[in-house]
Structures are given as structure tokens and as C-alpha cells.
Amino acid sequence: MKICGPKYALCGLILSVWGIFQLLLMGVFFYVRSVALVEDLPLGEGNFTTLENFYDVVDRGYTQNAYNCWIAACIYVLTFLFSGHQFYLNSRSSLSV
Amino acid sequence: MGSLFRSEEMTLCQLFLQSEAAYACVSELGELGLVQFRDLNPDVNAFQRKFVNEVRRCDEMERKLRYLEKEIKKDGIPMLDTGENPEAPQPREMIDLEATFEKLENELREVNQNAEALKRNFLELTELKHILRKTQVFFDEAEHGGVVSQMADPSREEEQVTLLGEEGLRAGGQALKLGRDKAKFVQTKNKVASWSIVIVSGVANVVVSCLLCHQQEHAGLNPTESMTRALISDDNIARQSALGPVQLGFVAGVILRERIPAFERMLWRACRGNVFLRQAEIETPLEDPSTGDQVYKSVFIIFFQGDQLKTRVKKICEGFRATLYPCPEAPADRREMAMGVMTRIEDLNTVLGQTQDHRHRVLVAAAKNIKNWFVKVRKIKAIYHTLNLFNLDVTQKCLIAECWVPVLDIETIQLALRRGTERSGSSVPPILNRMETFEDPPTYNRTNKFTKGFQALIDAYGVASYREMNPTPYTIITFPFLFAIMFGDTGHGLIMFLFGGWMVLKEKPLAAKKSDNEIWNIFFGGRYIIFLMGLFSMYTGLIYNDIFSKSLNIFGSNWLINYNRSTIQHNKDLQLNPSSEDYIDYPYPFGMDPVWQLAENKIIFQNSYKMKISIIFGVIHMLFGVLVGLWNHMYFKKRLNITCEFVPQVIFLLALFFYMVLLMFIKWIKYGPKNELIDGPGCAPSVLITFINMVLFKPATKVGECEPYMYGGQSGLQKFLVVVALLCVPWMLLAKPISLMRNRRKQHYQLNNHGAENGDVEASMGTLQQSGGVTQNGGHKEEEENMMEIFIHQGIHTIEYVLGSVSHTASYLRLWALSLAHAQLSEVLWNMVMRNGLAREGWDGGIVLYAIFAFWAVLTVGILVLMEGLSAFLHTLRLHWVEFQSKFYSGLGYSFQPFSFEIILDAAQATTED
């Protein structure tokens, strides 16, 4: 079943390849508690009573974000397969003309 | 092979070609593409040249081919492009080609004409079919009221011209007999009586109006009165019928749908409402045979009475370009006619199909060869065009040509000429003769696919003067590097690198595609530039430690946090002091320490660093430009320019701006956080202020305990440097004109004193000119110039250089400015877009991140890579054109345009595709 044209499919392919690589790596960086990404964590209001509380929240945030990145990467894998299929269909139909 | 550092050495040659061999020789030279012919009869107009007839014949052939191509494209037949390059055919083959094209064109034209005639017939028949079908409905309605059968038109016969015309008969090969309608007269009284019934029942108001008009015309009575009479009195009606037959006629036709409202209004006005119009839309669009467009039409039928109205109605129809068709009024006739029309349409369809098949066969056969033919014809045309540039010898036996050739290629050209002679079977070899000339030869830089893009950047500013230093080889490195300073981000660089790398890898298939998308062609032409720019940007991105505005911690930060828990817990902002234990006192191995990404004062720190490196690279770049100029002066043997321009220029730049660069390094090295107070960061003097004070001869003021100078004797050295730099200004300004003036005076003196030897001097000068060639000649010209002009020229040059080096140095600050803008923009994009997807609690974050990432990626490519990349590219281009090339490059040459089939064919293809 053909849904998108050749350009759209190619766009999806490139975007999903980029997404898979970058999100996988970002997930790894979150997982290893990269300091550079600390500003991207869901920290709520930022009022922490104790240090342990802060560490807890940050730790949870890192893990959460790592999983989120990997989930997004997985969805991009699906996108990749979908656009690849579309691209294949398009290239085949353009050949048969 | 020649080098890229200078353009090729060129020479003017005279070429004697035997008339018979000329064609073949020029054809060989065209394949070679290394010779630029000069027009030897510029005052002869295009129509008086020798081979004007041949050129005209080629034009004619090209026109025919274009016609064929257009038809082929119209039918969507793929044209075979084998990419092969047939040689230019012999002149005698031209006749064969002409005959072939003539035959093809005629055939095609005939087929097209026939097809059009057939289509017109087809259209007429279809329209008639629709008319018959639609009017049937009208008549049926009317018959329902019991009227219609009485309608008649005795004078209709004149319209019964054979519908299909002669053409149709010929083309279709089958005639159609159309039923001619027989006039019927309304006479009988009982039928008239039935009219009044209709009127009373009010079913068909047609009849009312017809009746009215009839009465108006014939009886001249008040319409209302007559109506009542018609309604009431039987006698009246009887009288009416006695006056003569009631002639209620109709015409039927087809008109464009959008014309209907105007048509209706016109009819109403012109006939004062005395006609009745019915119309119905034809649902399917019909094809207009002349334009091939699909048009929507409507069927109409107009009822009227009397001849005058009839002519009027017909005129209006004509005016609205409605086509009228005969329509028999008897149902049986109509049915018969409809049958006839249907069979006729079927026949026409088969004939049309055969015509199309024939056309298709002709075109398919032509499509196989058309590219090949185009190449051949264009080559022949180019050859004759070139032959037109030649001079005819008095004896008419040989043609004389003048051409610019690269000295290194004379051998290959000789070989090509010999091949041409052999091919033409001529016995007399062509003569290639080098000539001396005072003209400036064209500039020819031999490039390959890698250097071509960079050379194009330089040529866009101005083609180098003959044998001038070519900035291209240096640009290959400096261009991507200066670009990368502004575009420093590993992520964005990687995208650019991959794009460029893909184009480089897929070079051959992509080049074969020959897209006519202008933007794509620009990208593809600059694929190596893009590739290198991406590569260099990745490097500077690592130096700045930026990858999509995030830092990589590869080697581990060299800063430590020594605060205890409570300090951190109770302070909002804390500092890491490099003079304490916080910094381990040796630098991060490569580029910026990743700790800066989290620092509040990151921008302040980076600004100072980036501004300084901008100026350092700028001064080095400019100094390099001035040094390249030295090779120009040496090559052109302008010793005066070395002593009076180059040396003071270098001294000026070194004394002021390179000194400033040195100050920066001294500042970096000497001052550090762990030093004594006077060598500490608090006491480091500002480089800019020091420099301004230096130029203004202002003593630096001591602040607190800090020393205002970086080293001992700085004040004296600075004064000395400024004085030296200032002395360079009059040196540049006056030394050259004055020494020129003195030389000239000396020469005059010699000439006057040794009048007897005058002849010898002239003779020796003559030999000098002959041997020295172009450069000597340039020198002589300059001396002949007015002294005043030399002074003015030198003044402008000096002012330009002195003011230029100040403003150009400042101009290099754009490296810092754009780099800052790029870093900030990518950080803002991350914070405003990507963070929305990341900072999210709960498990829906993954899906949101998926969408946000796509958005962020599109913006990254669109804004940061494309737009920022373009802006950085333009700034880099400016830095090369203005700041770098103004130091040595005059760019006054004109480019070498060889006679080459390849170039001619490419250009021709590009114009046809537009």
C-alpha cells in the first residue's frame, strides 16, 4: 500500500536514521548520568528539602529520560521500517513505468 | 601539465588550413576543446559571411528537430539518451540528414493535420449526438403538451450542408447520409385549435411568445388584445391561419458553457424577447481539436418565428461562435439520424486510432535517434560558425585563422590537425604558426573536478589577469577553515559532511542525471567545498566542544569542586577559582573544557577567546595575501613594486597589527591566576586599550599596583613601531612615482645627449620588445602614462591599503560574531524545543519526544545548517574576496573560452530545457 510519495519517504528515512542514532546515544548519556544534560531533566519546582531528596529526583529523572529516549528511538525504528517500505514501493513503481 | 598557481601560458597562433581540410580540422579541434578562435572579420555582418548558407541550413534542421522533439514530448515517448558522442558528420552527409528530417517533418505534419481534421469531425459528430439526445428531451416535454410536431421550418434546407464536409469524407473514407428534414406546414384548423388549448393549459409558453410575435408581425395588433382574441375567439384564429402558414422554426446548436448567460441576454435583447431558448449542459468535457484542451459545452435550441428573426438569431449564434447543427423535427428522422451519427462515430474512432498508431510509430522511430541527430546538427553548425570567423586567402585556396592556444598543448593541437587532414584526404598539411602580440592573452586555469568549485568562487569575483598569482590553491584550505570558525558545531558539521560526502561518493550517477534544478546544481557544483566545510566544522566544533550545543566530556574536566555539602546547599551561585585547588593547573588536552557548558560566564569567557583568535587568523591571512603579492612582483619583474610597495606594506602590517597579535600571546602566556599579584589576571592590561594608546602616543596610566606595560621597554618599542609604520605611508605614497619620474628624466637626458646613437637605442629597444614580449610592453605603457595619473593612482592605492588594513582587521571580527551567533542560536533551539520533549515526567514522554525530535531536527537543518551555513558561507566569501584578495589580486583578465563541442552542446541542452 502506497501512502507517501518518494520525497516524503526519503525524508522519513533520513529523519528516522538520524533519530535512531541520536536518541540511542542520548539515552546512553542519560543513563550514565551525564552532567551536561542535567538542565534537561524533569525536576519540578526545584525546591528540595534534603540532599537525598534531590539525588532521588535527579536519579529518577535521568532514568526516566533515558527510557523515554529509547522509546522514541524505538518509534523511530518503526518509522524507519515504514518509510523504507514506502521508499521501496516507490522505487519499484517508478522502475516499472 | 600546468600548475594551479598561475594561469596557463598562452600564445597567439596563426593557422593556415586548406579549404578542403578546414572542416575536418576544425571538427577535430572542437573535439579537443583547447583553442579559442578570434573573429578576423568583425566588421562583416552575419549575413555576408562565407558559410552563412550552411549555418542557415543547420538552423533549419535544428528547427525541424525541435519540432520533432516537441511532438515526442507531447506523446510522452521516452527519448533514448545513450550519452554517446557522435563525431561531426562530413559536409556531404548533411544532405542526407536534411532529407531525413524533411521527410519526417512532412510525414508528421500530414499525420497531425489528418488527426486534427478527424478530431474536428469527431467533435462535430459528438456534438450532434448530444444535440439529438438533448433536444429529444425538449421535444418530449413539448410533445407531452402535444405541440411540437407542428413546429416546422421550410427554409431549413439551406442548412443541410453535409455535416461532415469534404474533409471528413476524405479522411474518414465513409460518407454519411444525413436525413434532411422535410418542411411541414401548419395549416389545418384543428391543429391550430389545439394550440389554444395549449395556451390555456399554459404548458408551453413557447407557443405564446411565438404566437405573439406572429401576431405582432402580421396583424400589427396590440399583443394583449391579440392574446385575448387568440384565447377567446375561434374566428380570429381562423383568420390568422388564412393569412398564411405559421412559421415556427428552431435552430439547435452547441455553445461554450461560460458564454450561455451572455448569449441568452443578447438573444433576449436583440429579438425583444420574441425567441425562446432552451439549453442543457453536456456533462462530459469535449476536446477542442486545435488546442487539445478539454472544454465544457452546452446544447441549446432556439425557437422563433419568421425569417427576419431567423437571420437575427443566426447572426447572434455566429457572433457567439456557437456551432449550429441541423436537427430534423420529425422523431423518426431524428432517430434515424442518431443511428447514423453513432455508426459514423464508431468508424471515426477506428480511423483515429489508426492515425494515432501511425503517429506513434513515426515518433518512436524518431525518438531513438533524436539526441544523436541534435548532437550532429549542433556540431555542424558550430563548425560552420567557426569557419565564418576565418579569413579567406587571396587565392581562395586556404583559410587563415587566428587563435589563442596554451603553449603546453601545441603538440596535441598539431596532432589533431594532422588527424583532420588525413580524414579529409588532403595532402597539404595545415600550418600552425606562433605569432608575437602585444595583446593580453586570455586566462586559462586548468582545473579538475576538485579544484573547479574553488576556482569558480574566485572567478565569480574577477578572472585573474594573465599569469597572475591564482588564489585558488590557498582558498582550498582557508575557505573551509574560516567557514568552520563561524560554523563550529560538530553536529551541524557532521550533517554537512555527510551531505557533501554523499554527493562526492555518488558523483557519477548524480552528474549523469543532469537535473535542471538550479539550487541542486549549485550544491552539486560545490560538493567538494561542502564536504570540506563539513569536515572542518566538525574539527572546530570539537575545539569549541559543541555538538548540537552540548559538550562532550572526553578527557574528564580539569576543574574540581572542593566545596562542602552545606556550602552548596545554602548558596545559589558559587565560583570555581582557578587560583585555588579548583583547577588542577594543566589545560584540557583538546579544545574547551566541558565544564564551561554549565558555567554562567561561558559567553564572556568564549568571547574573549574567539575575538582574539579571529584577529590572529585575520592578521595572518592578510599578511599571507601581501606575501603572495611578492611572487607577482617577482614574476612580472617589477623591482620597483617590491621596494616601494611590498616592503613598506609588510612593515606597516607587522609593526602595527602583527605587534597586536604578539601582545595577545604575551598576555596569554605571562598572566595567570597562580602568579604574583602584578602578573595575576587582575593586572593584565587590555590589549585593545594598549594598542589605542600606542597609536595615539599616550602613556599608559598605572592602576593601583599593577604595571601598565607587559614587559620592560614596551613604551619605547611601541613608539618606535608607530613611527616606522607612519614612515611607511609616505614611502608607499611617493617612492614609486618619484623614482619613475627620475628614471624618465634620465632616459630623456641620455636620448638628448647621444642623438647620434638614437637609431641604435631604438633598434635595441625593438629587439627587447620582441624578446621580452608582454611584460616589457606593460612597463613601457606605464611610463607613457601621465605623471599626474601615476601620483593619483598611487595615492588611492596607499590610502586603500592603510585604511584597509585597519578596517579589514576589524572585519575579521565577523569570525567571532558569527561563531557566537551560531552557538547561541543552537543553544536556544535546544532549550526552547528539545527540552520540551525531554523534561517530562511519566511514560508518555517517549511519544512526545518522538514528535519534538522531528520538529527539532527539521529546524536544525532548516535554520542552523541551511540558513546559518549560507550566512557563514557568504561572510567567508567576503573575507576572501575583499580582505584577502585585495592585497595582491587585480582580477582584470578575461577567461579563455575554447571552441569545444562539449561546452557548446551543454549550453544548447541547458537552453532547451529552460
Side-chain angles (χ1 to χ4, degrees):
Chain A
M1 186 183 56
K2 212 161 88 177
I3 295 169
C4 26
K7 281 178 193 165
Y8 210 56
L10 184 65
C11 195
L13 266 183
I14 293 172
L15 181 68
S16 44
V17 170
W18 181 4
I20 291 165
F21 276 104
Q22 181 164 352
L23 289 169
L24 267 182
L25 284 176
M26 274 169 63
V28 171
F29 291 140
F30 273 117
Y31 201 73
V32 300
R33 276 67 176 141
S34 163
V35 189
L37 295 169
V38 76
E39 285 166 323
D40 297 321
L41 295 179
L43 295 182
E45 286 301 302
N47 291 330
F48 302 106
T49 43
T50 61
L51 210 58
E52 284 67 35
N53 181 348
F54 173 74
Y55 273 122
D56 267 2
V57 171
V58 169
D59 221 37
R60 213 171 50 231
Y62 269 125
T63 322
Q64 176 79 64
N65 267 6
Y67 285 132
N68 280 351
C69 282
W70 286 332
I71 290 169
C74 287
I75 306 177
Y76 271 111
V77 170
L78 295 181
T79 318
F80 175 76
L81 293 177
F82 173 72
S83 349
H85 177 64
Q86 293 294 319
F87 192 75
Y88 168 70
L89 284 181
N90 274 310
S91 65
R92 211 177 45 172
S93 69
S94 71
L95 274 178
S96 66
V97 165
Chain B
M1 293 302 278
S3 72
L4 200 59
F5 290 100
R6 286 179 197 288
S7 62
E8 282 297 299
E9 206 174 325
M10 308 294 283
T11 177
L12 188 66
C13 283
Q14 207 170 23
L15 184 62
F16 294 91
L17 293 168
Q18 213 197 349
S19 300
E20 294 85 58
Y23 183 90
C25 288
V26 171
S27 148
E28 286 291 335
L29 291 180
E31 301 288 352
L32 203 62
L34 281 170
V35 178
Q36 179 180 358
F37 290 104
R38 299 209 305 177
D39 193 353
L40 293 182
N41 354 287
D43 40 349
V44 181
N45 76 28
F47 301 106
Q48 292 167 339
R49 301 201 176 210
K50 187 162 188 286
F51 296 100
V52 62
N53 267 331
E54 281 80 357
V55 173
R56 204 174 284 157
R57 275 164 66 196
C58 292
D59 272 337
E60 183 64 18
M61 284 196 278
E62 223 179 333
R63 185 193 61 72
K64 281 173 189 156
L65 284 177
R66 272 200 303 271
Y67 172 70
L68 275 176
E69 193 188 35
K70 203 180 80 194
E71 296 294 321
I72 291 172
K73 271 189 189 155
K74 211 198 259 172
D75 275 26
I77 300 168
M79 277 177 282
L80 194 67
D81 192 1
T82 49
E84 66 173 330
N85 192 7
E87 285 203 343
Q90 293 292 314
R92 57 177 176 278
E93 279 176 49
M94 211 165 122
I95 302 163
D96 292 346
L97 283 178
E98 266 180 323
T100 319
F101 300 157
E102 181 82 38
K103 205 180 113 217
L104 268 175
E105 198 208 5
N106 283 344
E107 202 170 342
L108 203 62
R109 276 200 196 283
E110 210 168 303
V111 170
N112 276 354
Q113 262 171 13
N114 286 345
E116 202 186 318
L118 285 174
K119 271 188 192 156
R120 185 159 294 131
N121 281 334
F122 184 72
L123 177 76
E124 279 172 1
L125 282 172
T126 347
E127 285 180 356
L128 185 60
K129 184 182 85 186
H130 284 293
I131 283 182
L132 289 171
R133 195 174 295 155
K134 299 287 176 190
T135 46
Q136 187 64 40
V137 181
F138 303 152
F139 288 127
D140 281 351
E141 274 176 19
E143 212 140 297
H144 190 64
V147 189
V148 177
S149 57
Q150 288 83 34
M151 301 201 180
D153 184 358
S155 55
R156 277 211 67 85
E157 273 174 50
E158 69 188 55
E159 283 171 18
Q160 308 303 315
V161 205
T162 345
L163 181 61
L164 302 169
E166 284 205 317
E167 268 180 0
L169 295 180
R170 185 160 45 96
Q174 192 200 355
L176 167 76
K177 277 175 196 150
L178 290 169
R180 305 189 161 209
D181 59 351
K182 284 131 201 161
K184 278 200 175 178
F185 300 92
V186 184
Q187 280 174 325
T188 43
K189 191 186 165 187
N190 60 338
K191 279 180 186 170
V192 175
S194 72
W195 281 33
S196 50
I197 299 167
V198 176
I199 294 161
V200 173
S201 63
V203 175
N205 45 4
V206 194
V207 188
V208 180
S209 63
C210 290
L211 199 63
L212 287 179
C213 65
H214 169 79
Q215 285 184 343
Q216 264 180 321
E217 274 175 23
H218 292 272
L221 291 169
N222 185 325
T224 43
E225 201 183 331
S226 67
M227 177 135 67
T228 43
R229 228 184 281 168
L231 287 169
I232 298 161
S233 146
D234 231 347
D235 291 347
N236 261 342
I237 295 162
R239 190 174 57 82
Q240 232 177 46
S241 54
L243 277 173
V246 182
Q247 298 184 343
L248 192 61
F250 67 90
V251 287
V254 172
I255 192 170
L256 283 179
R257 197 175 290 175
E258 62 264 25
R259 293 210 177 122
I260 284 278
F263 182 58
E264 204 168 354
R265 199 175 307 131
M266 187 68 167
L267 272 174
W268 177 261
R269 286 187 184 157
C271 305
R272 306 213 171 87
N274 287 329
V275 295
F276 175 66
L277 172 87
R278 286 293 307 262
Q279 50 107 354
E281 289 173 355
I282 302 175
E283 293 83 7
T284 47
L286 301 168
E287 194 192 332
D288 187 346
S290 47
T291 57
D293 294 339
Q294 300 282 316
V295 286
Y296 284 92
K297 292 190 167 185
S298 285
V299 166
F300 65 88
I301 181 162
I302 306 168
F303 298 97
F304 53 83
Q305 197 195 20
D307 281 340
Q308 277 186 325
L309 265 181
K310 177 180 175 156
T311 45
R312 204 175 280 178
V313 164
K314 276 191 166 175
K315 270 199 183 131
I316 293 169
C317 291
E318 209 175 291
F320 277 87
R321 298 194 188 284
T323 29
L324 298 179
Y325 292 97
C327 180
E329 100 326 318
D333 290 347
R334 278 205 303 273
R335 208 166 302 127
E336 195 183 311
M337 191 169 172
M339 299 277 281
V341 166
M342 288 311 281
T343 47
R344 180 91 182 91
I345 286 178
E346 265 165 39
D347 289 347
L348 258 183
N349 263 336
T350 40
V351 178
L352 258 177
Q354 278 171 5
T355 322
Q356 285 296 348
D357 275 355
H358 181 58
R359 179 187 146 90
H360 193 78
R361 270 199 302 278
V362 171
L363 288 180
V364 165
K368 268 185 208 151
N369 287 322
I370 191 148
K371 292 277 175 198
N372 211 327
W373 285 337
F374 258 124
V375 172
K376 278 184 179 171
V377 169
R378 280 175 183 148
K379 278 187 176 177
I380 300 176
K381 190 178 160 191
I383 290 171
Y384 280 118
H385 206 73
T386 313
L387 287 176
N388 269 337
L389 302 177
F390 293 1
N391 232 340
L392 213 56
D393 187 48
V394 226
T395 56
Q396 301 261 331
K397 283 276 168 52
C398 71
L399 290 162
I400 304 166
E402 276 180 24
C403 50
W404 290 111
V405 283
V407 173
L408 285 173
D409 287 319
I410 286 186
E411 281 297 304
T412 31
I413 290 165
Q414 294 273 26
L415 268 176
L417 286 174
R418 208 162 299 150
R419 266 204 310 277
T421 330
E422 273 165 25
R423 235 178 47 173
S424 69
S426 161
S427 51
V428 186
I431 303 158
L432 191 71
N433 204 8
R434 278 179 78 161
M435 290 164 75
E436 294 299 336
T437 177
F438 297 138
E439 252 181 275
D440 283 337
T443 307
Y444 176 41
N445 288 308
R446 232 184 269 267
T447 52
N448 55 23
K449 62 183 178 180
F450 175 65
T451 51
K452 204 171 170 185
F454 293 97
Q455 186 69 50
L457 286 182
I458 303 297
D459 286 345
Y461 173 75
V463 177
S465 305
Y466 179 61
R467 299 292 281 163
E468 188 179 32
M469 286 299 282
N470 184 7
T472 308
Y474 324 111
T475 307
I476 292 174
I477 294 304
T478 54
F479 194 91
F481 184 61
L482 290 189
F483 173 85
I485 292 176
M486 297 189 246
F487 198 73
D489 189 305
T490 307
H492 304 148
L494 184 69
I495 294 172
M496 198 175 258
F497 170 78
L498 290 176
F499 178 56
W502 171 73
M503 283 193 291
V504 169
L505 275 181
K506 294 264 172 184
E507 194 170 58
K508 280 194 181 126
L510 287 174
K513 268 188 195 163
K514 281 208 174 122
S515 158
D516 50 351
N517 183 345
E518 209 172 323
I519 295 173
W520 164 253
N521 283 339
I522 291 173
F523 277 137
F524 187 66
R527 58 193 178 277
Y528 287 99
I529 305 178
I530 293 175
F531 178 74
L532 281 186
M533 287 192 314
L535 199 66
F536 280 59
S537 298
M538 284 164 69
Y539 167 73
T540 49
L542 284 178
I543 295 280
Y544 296 156
N545 216 339
D546 264 345
I547 170 162
F548 296 121
S549 84
K550 294 287 163 192
S551 298
L552 286 177
N553 187 4
I554 302 172
F555 302 104
S557 176
N558 287 353
W559 295 74
L560 307 166
I561 294 168
N562 295 321
Y563 295 109
N564 57 25
R565 284 195 167 198
S566 66
T567 324
I568 291 174
Q569 216 166 355
H570 295 108
N571 285 293
K572 194 167 184 297
D573 294 309
L574 285 172
Q575 282 191 358
L576 296 183
N577 190 354
S579 62
S580 67
E581 291 293 304
D582 295 344
Y583 180 59
I584 56 171
D585 213 24
Y586 72 83
Y588 190 70
F590 184 78
M592 295 259 292
D593 197 302
V595 81
W596 286 105
Q597 207 223 320
L598 297 166
E600 292 279 313
N601 59 344
K602 180 191 177 192
I603 295 178
I604 298 164
F605 169 72
Q606 281 200 330
N607 277 353
S608 138
Y609 160 70
K610 284 181 179 175
M611 271 196 232
K612 283 189 179 104
I613 59 164
S614 302
I615 296 296
I616 292 168
F617 284 127
V619 170
I620 291 171
H621 199 209
M622 288 193 294
L623 200 61
F624 178 63
V626 177
L627 286 176
V628 171
L630 175 65
W631 268 263
N632 267 341
H633 300 319
M634 286 191 330
Y635 180 82
F636 292 120
K637 302 211 171 54
K638 289 184 182 166
R639 298 199 56 160
L640 202 60
N641 278 7
I642 297 177
T643 50
C644 303
E645 272 180 11
F646 172 71
V647 174
Q649 275 178 354
V650 171
I651 292 175
F652 183 82
L653 210 59
L654 285 179
L656 292 181
F657 298 101
F658 193 70
Y659 176 69
M660 184 164 70
V661 169
L662 286 183
L663 284 184
M664 288 172 193
F665 279 101
I666 294 170
K667 185 173 168 181
W668 274 339
I669 293 163
K670 190 179 175 202
Y671 297 93
K674 290 187 181 165
N675 296 350
E676 298 285 309
L677 178 67
I678 51 162
D679 287 341
C683 271
S686 156
V687 172
L688 189 63
I689 301 291
T690 312
F691 184 66
I692 291 171
N693 283 341
M694 161 182 165
V695 179
L696 297 178
F697 289 108
K698 250 167 59 178
T701 45
K702 195 169 172 175
V703 183
E705 290 190 10
C706 297
E707 277 296 324
Y709 291 113
M710 297 185 192
Y711 56 90
Q714 190 184 359
S715 160
L717 180 70
Q718 283 182 350
K719 277 187 185 131
F720 170 73
L721 286 175
V722 175
V723 169
V724 167
L726 286 181
L727 280 177
C728 286
V729 177
W731 185 0
M732 280 187 267
L733 187 66
L734 299 172
K736 192 180 159 193
I738 287 176
S739 68
L740 276 177
M741 208 154 68
R742 284 183 60 186
N743 274 350
R744 187 176 293 184
R745 208 171 287 161
K746 211 184 280 172
Q747 238 170 25
H748 279 297
Y749 182 73
Q750 277 179 343
L751 286 177
N752 289 345
N753 268 5
H754 307 280
E757 287 168 69
N758 206 353
D760 286 353
V761 172
E762 264 183 354
S764 65
M765 270 182 44
T767 50
L768 254 179
Q769 270 188 356
Q770 270 178 1
S771 57
V774 195
T775 49
Q776 279 289 327
N777 178 52
H780 277 286
K781 258 193 214 157
E782 204 168 316
E783 277 179 50
E784 281 151 25
E785 275 178 60
N786 195 351
M787 218 53 229
M788 198 63 198
E789 258 176 50
I790 295 177
F791 270 105
I792 290 172
H793 183 255
Q794 194 66 24
I796 291 171
H797 197 71
T798 309
I799 291 169
E800 195 198 336
Y801 182 80
V802 172
L803 294 185
S805 36
V806 180
S807 70
H808 290 173
T809 309
S811 184
Y812 276 96
L813 281 174
R814 71 186 68 232
L815 293 176
W816 153 69
L818 262 93
S819 154
L820 172 72
H822 187 81
Q824 285 308 300
L825 213 60
S826 61
E827 199 175 322
V828 164
L829 190 70
W830 184 282
N831 290 349
M832 303 290 275
V833 179
M834 199 63 158
R835 188 162 297 167
N836 289 333
L838 288 169
R840 198 164 274 278
E841 290 182 81
W843 292 98
D844 61 333
I847 295 149
V848 177
L849 185 59
Y850 169 79
I852 295 270
F853 176 81
F855 188 54
W856 174 84
V858 169
L859 286 183
T860 298
V861 171
I863 297 177
L864 291 174
V865 177
L866 275 177
M867 280 167 60
E868 276 279 296
L870 186 68
S871 105
F873 178 88
L874 290 177
H875 280 284
T876 319
L877 200 60
R878 185 220 139 94
L879 285 179
H880 280 83
W881 282 356
V882 180
E883 275 76 21
F884 176 55
Q885 293 183 11
S886 68
K887 301 289 182 290
F888 68 97
Y889 189 68
S890 58
L892 295 173
Y894 63 101
S895 63
F896 178 61
Q897 282 158 332
F899 168 64
S900 154
F901 287 144
E902 207 183 327
I903 296 170
I904 289 168
L905 291 174
D906 280 350
Q909 205 156 30
T911 48
T912 50
E913 268 164 17
D914 282 341

